[in-house]
Amino acid sequence: VIARRELAFLTRPLVQMRLLCTRRAATLRPGDVIRVAWADYGITGLIMRVQSYDLGELDDGRVALSLLQDPFSVGFDVTS
């Protein structure tokens, strides 16, 4: 199991994404961990870390998060 995890870590590129959220995400800071599920793309339980954030404009109501897949979660499937 450990060898499989290490091999997966060394051979797969980490997923990066920019996510637009509601103001409820304004409390997230760099290093915080979130789980992403996106049924349209078959993503379930992808563990991501916040790299940076942009609180945007006050009247916009959206927060932009830059996310990177957590390297310590590579090789583990999260289903709940």
Side-chain angles (χ1 to χ4, degrees), residues 11 13-16 19 21 30 34 43 47 49-50 68 72 75 80:
T11 58
L14 298 176
V15 175
Q16 295 180 356
L19 189 64
C21 307
I34 64 170
I43 298 173
I47 306 298
R49 286 197 180 262
V50 177
L68 178 66
F72 301 109
S80 61

Side-chain angles (χ1 to χ4, degrees), residues 3-57:
R4 184 178 74 195
R5 182 188 69 205
E6 294 299 319
L7 184 60
F9 176 73
L10 294 172
T11 58
R12 282 193 220 161
L14 298 176
V15 175
Q16 295 180 356
M17 69 174 64
R18 184 167 166 87
L19 189 64
L20 293 176
C21 307
T22 63
R23 284 273 175 210
R24 290 180 56 192
T27 59
L28 294 172
R29 295 295 180 253
D32 287 349
V33 178
I34 64 170
R35 184 180 62 166
V36 177
W38 196 346
D40 293 344
Y41 291 97
I43 298 173
T44 57
L46 183 60
I47 306 298
M48 307 286 285
R49 286 197 180 262
V50 177
Q51 296 298 299
S52 63
Y53 62 93
D54 180 9
L55 296 177
E57 301 296 324

